[in-house]
Amino acid sequence: MLMMPLLLASSWGRIINMHQDQLHEERRLNDRGLMLASTKDCQSTANLSLSVVKEFERFRPSGTIQTDDGSEGCLMKKGEHWSMLTLVNRTSDNLCYDGSMTGKSKAYPFEVKGILRLRGYTRNLFIIPPKGKCLAEKPCPVVFYLHGHDEHVSTLVAKAGETAEEEAWVKATHAGFMRYAHQADCAATQGSVLIFPQLLAGESWVEDGENLLENFLIPVLEKHSNEGKTGHWDFDKVAIMGYSEGAEGVIKAAKHYPHIFRLAIAAAPTTPSVDQRLLLTELSRPILKAPPKLSMLIASFGEEDKLGSSQLGLSHLMYDLDVAGVTSFARLHIRLYLGAGHIHWDEMFNRWPALHSVLWRGDYTHLEKLGQ
C-alpha cells in the first residue's frame, strides 16, 4: 500500500517534466516560425552598437531587432514585422546528421536556351524527389538549391560521360541538401522536390544570373509543367535557396521572378569588392511586371565574414531590394550569426528548425506564421 503514492508521485513528476519540455519547445524562437518575434524583452541592448545592426536601422528605423539564443530569444527593439533582424548566438543541433551517404544520384543533361548555348547546349541537373510522397491530390513543394563558387563543374555529362558524372556527383555533395538526401534518416523526412542546377566553370551567378535564370532554371519548371507533371509538383510553392555566389542568384530570382518563387533564402551574400561593383551596375533594372507570389526573403550574414564585408553586403542587399520594389510585397528577415564567418549556411539550412521544416519537409505552416 505504501508503494502506490510513490508510484503515482513518480508518474506525476514525469508528466510535469513532459509538459515543461513541451512548453519549452513551443516557446523556442527558432522553431515557431520564419517571421515570429520573441515575446521577451532583452536585459541588455549592447549589440545595438554592431555595425550591421546600425546599417539595418538606417534602412529600417521601425524594424524589429531581436536575439535568438536557441531558446525564447529576446527583443532588443520592438517594431513592425515587415522587416526583421535577428542576431543568432546559438543554434539548434543538426536536424540532418551529415555522415556517410548511401546510394548515388546521377546528373542528367538539361537542354538550355539562348546565349547559354554558346558554351554548350546542356547543363548538368539533379532532381531528387521524395520517395512516394508526391501525389496528384497532394503535390510536393519544389526547392532550387544554388551552389557556391567552388562547386562549378569543368565538364558536362552530355560530353564526357562517366568522368563528368563523377565530377558532378563530387561537386553536388560538397555540402548541404544533396548529402542529406542520401542519408536514410533524413531521406525519410524529405517532403520537397529538390533541384540542383550546376554551372560551368567560367559562369557566375553574379555576372550571368539573369541569363541563367531565364535560360536554365525557369525552363526546368516550364518543362515539367508542360509535360503534365503538375499533379506531382506544387508550382504555387516553389522556393529558391543558395549560399555564397549562389545567394546572389537567389537575390536575382527574387527581383526578376517574384511571380514564380514563393520563398527566397540567401545565405552569405557577401562577395569581394570587384563583384560588388558588378552588382551595383544593375540596381536600376526593374523586376518583371507580374503579380508576385514571393512572400518572404531571408538573408544571413556571418559577423566575422572575411570574404566580404557583412555591413556592405547588407547595405547593398537592402538598397537593391528596395530599388527593385521587392520589399513592397515581400517580408524581409535578416539573420546575423554572431562569431560566424562566411561558411555558416549549415546553421541556416540545417540548424534552424522552422526553415528546415519548410524547405526540407515541405511544410509551409511556418511560412504563414507572422507576428508574435
Side-chain angles (χ1 to χ4, degrees):
M1 295 294 294
L2 293 175
M3 289 293 290
M4 184 63 70
L6 293 175
L7 288 172
L8 288 173
S10 177
S11 298
W12 182 246
R14 285 197 295 271
I15 292 172
I16 291 175
N17 288 337
M18 289 172 61
H19 183 59
Q20 289 175 338
D21 289 343
Q22 183 180 5
L23 285 176
H24 179 72
E25 290 296 319
E26 291 174 352
R27 291 173 179 168
R28 195 169 63 188
L29 183 62
N30 63 18
D31 200 24
R32 291 170 52 222
L34 299 184
M35 204 75 181
L36 285 177
S38 174
T39 57
K40 178 182 175 182
D41 291 331
C42 292
Q43 294 182 348
S44 171
T45 57
N47 283 331
L48 289 176
S49 63
L50 294 174
S51 60
V52 172
V53 176
K54 289 183 176 180
E55 195 68 17
F56 176 83
E57 287 190 290
R58 186 168 74 88
F59 281 92
R60 296 294 187 274
S62 61
T64 294
I65 303 175
Q66 64 181 354
T67 64
D68 182 355
D69 58 1
S71 183
E72 296 176 71
C74 64
L75 274 173
M76 286 195 293
K77 180 182 177 183
K78 186 175 182 179
E80 49 85 13
H81 294 292
W82 195 259
S83 300
M84 176 181 290
L85 171 64
T86 300
L87 309 182
V88 185
N89 55 31
R90 185 178 179 183
T91 64
S92 297
D93 293 333
N94 285 335
L95 296 161
C96 280
Y97 177 67
D98 194 1
S100 59
M101 295 180 290
T102 59
K104 191 175 183 179
S105 294
K106 280 189 176 183
Y108 78 91
F110 182 83
E111 189 172 330
V112 295
K113 298 180 179 181
I115 195 171
L116 295 187
R117 288 179 160 229
L118 294 176
R119 305 194 69 228
Y121 279 72
T122 65
R123 294 296 185 275
N124 298 349
L125 186 72
F126 291 89
I127 297 180
I128 314 293
K131 296 179 180 178
K133 294 182 181 179
C134 302
L135 307 173
E137 62 272 19
K138 191 178 180 181
C140 290
V142 178
V143 177
F144 281 89
Y145 189 97
L146 308 189
H147 61 71
H149 177 76
D150 292 339
E151 288 78 64
H152 292 243
V153 295
S154 60
T155 55
L156 297 169
V157 294
K159 293 183 177 181
E162 291 184 3
T163 301
E165 287 178 4
E166 181 61 24
E167 182 195 25
W169 171 250
V170 170
K171 296 286 188 178
T173 54
H174 180 76
F177 274 25
M178 181 66 85
R179 296 185 62 83
Y180 309 150
H182 291 82
Q183 293 163 7
D185 289 344
C186 251
T189 63
Q190 180 188 339
S192 298
V193 177
L194 306 178
I195 302 178
F196 302 84
Q198 288 187 321
L199 304 193
L200 276 172
E203 292 177 328
S204 165
W205 282 114
V206 176
E207 298 181 52
D208 311 307
E210 291 177 48
N211 283 325
L212 289 163
L213 286 162
E214 179 182 359
N215 298 305
F216 187 6
L217 270 63
I218 300 303
V220 170
L221 291 174
E222 292 173 343
K223 179 176 184 292
H224 281 265
S225 177
N226 294 335
E227 288 182 355
K229 295 183 179 180
T230 54
H232 297 86
W233 291 16
D234 190 339
F235 291 94
D236 286 326
K237 294 178 179 177
V238 180
I240 185 165
M241 61 189 292
Y243 58 89
S244 195
E245 183 192 310
E248 301 295 350
V250 169
I251 295 166
K252 292 175 189 292
K255 289 168 54 181
H256 298 286
Y257 294 92
H259 61 295
I260 298 292
F261 299 103
R262 180 83 174 276
L263 177 64
I265 306 96
T270 47
T271 54
S273 57
V274 61
D275 286 343
Q276 288 287 347
R277 288 196 295 272
L278 284 169
L279 290 165
L280 288 169
T281 62
E282 65 165 46
L283 287 178
S284 60
R285 299 180 189 179
I287 62 173
L288 295 184
K289 303 298 182 182
K293 288 183 182 178
L294 188 70
S295 61
M296 190 182 302
L297 186 143
I298 303 170
S300 67
F301 296 89
E303 182 188 18
E304 305 296 335
D305 195 329
K306 303 301 181 185
L307 183 64
S309 165
S310 294
Q311 180 182 356
L312 180 61
L314 175 65
S315 178
H316 165 258
L317 171 69
M318 298 189 74
Y319 183 61
D320 194 2
L321 294 177
D322 286 350
V323 169
V326 175
T327 48
S328 66
F329 54 78
R331 289 172 171 81
L332 178 65
H333 187 171
I334 304 297
R335 291 175 73 84
L336 176 67
Y337 285 85
L338 301 179
H342 187 68
I343 303 176
H344 66 266
W345 38 87
D346 198 52
E347 281 84 344
M348 272 276 282
F349 303 154
N350 195 34
R351 298 179 196 169
W352 183 8
L355 182 62
H356 185 85
S357 182
V358 175
L359 295 176
W360 184 262
R361 295 176 177 267
D363 179 2
Y364 269 61
T365 305
H366 286 295
L367 182 61
E368 310 303 334
K369 292 181 180 178
L370 303 171
Q372 288 189 339

